[in-house]
Amino acid sequence: MAALDPHDCRQAVQQLCAFVDETAEVFASPGLRELIMTERDIILNELAQGLRPMSQGIEWFDTHSPEEQAEILLFLRHHCVQARAVTEDGPESIRRAGLRPTHTPAVLITCGPVDQQLGKIAGLTPVDERRKAFRLLVGVLAVADERRRERFCSGGCGHWWHNLPVADG
């Protein structure tokens, strides 16, 4: 293996530092939150926090193509994992989603490691199962994020999704 040239290494580090500085400036810019937030982000967080009724969420979900619905479900799965969902969240999530324990997503959430089960739920394809999956994943996000808010954000936080107004009906 050839020896690294210190000059080349220094240049590479300087370029990386310049990139980090530029990126930090962009993310500190006013209005960035509005660029990052999408309608999807806002609606899903409003649903999870009870700021928007689930009936509106289902109507919104149904307006999307099957491919877009699959993306929404994967997005919800990701946020459930980020909110640190645990297996014990299953029963309360099922209750909040208004599902029967025998519905496929409800059975899945109680049958193993939550991160694996969330992926299976997000991957359901029949239309009626997708709606149930959507409701359940919103419920899981609600339970997990509520716990996260109590533990880590009780003194206030800068998470934009924890500072949403009640949605217009």
Side-chain angles (χ1 to χ4, degrees):
M1 183 169 164
L4 296 174
D5 178 16
H7 176 72
D8 291 342
C9 291
R10 193 174 309 114
Q11 274 188 317
V13 169
Q14 287 173 342
Q15 288 174 343
L16 287 171
C17 288
F19 173 76
V20 169
D21 289 342
E22 289 171 18
T23 305
E25 286 176 23
V26 168
F27 280 97
S29 300
L32 179 68
R33 185 175 99 182
E34 290 75 22
L35 292 173
I36 294 173
M37 287 190 315
T38 66
E39 175 191 29
R40 177 190 65 193
D41 296 321
I42 294 168
I43 290 172
L44 295 176
N45 279 284
E46 287 171 344
L47 289 166
Q49 293 174 39
L51 301 173
R52 178 183 294 267
M54 182 54 76
S55 59
Q56 284 183 10
I58 295 294
E59 286 176 22
W60 171 81
F61 185 72
D62 284 346
T63 65
H64 293 82
S65 70
E67 294 79 20
E68 292 168 328
Q69 288 179 350
E71 185 178 309
I72 290 166
L73 293 174
L74 288 173
F75 181 81
L76 270 167
R77 178 208 170 271
H78 171 76
H79 281 284
C80 291
V81 171
Q82 292 296 334
R84 299 183 180 112
V86 294
T87 303
E88 293 76 23
D89 294 339
E92 177 61 15
S93 300
I94 293 166
R95 187 192 69 73
R96 290 188 189 193
L99 299 179
R100 286 185 290 210
T102 56
H103 286 147
T104 303
V107 171
L108 288 171
I109 197 72
T110 60
C111 288
V114 73
D115 55 334
Q116 292 174 7
Q117 299 310 98
L118 291 171
K120 292 177 184 177
I121 294 165
L124 292 172
T125 55
V127 173
D128 61 326
E129 294 299 331
R130 274 199 178 163
R131 284 188 195 115
K132 293 172 194 167
F134 177 76
R135 291 170 57 158
L136 182 61
L137 291 174
V138 168
V140 172
L141 179 58
V143 172
D145 191 55
E146 188 175 285
R147 183 179 52 253
R148 177 173 58 176
R149 188 187 294 229
E150 289 171 3
R151 287 185 183 169
F152 303 111
C153 300
S154 61
C157 68
H159 299 127
W160 65 261
W161 60 90
H162 288 164
N163 297 296
L164 294 170
V166 175
D168 294 329

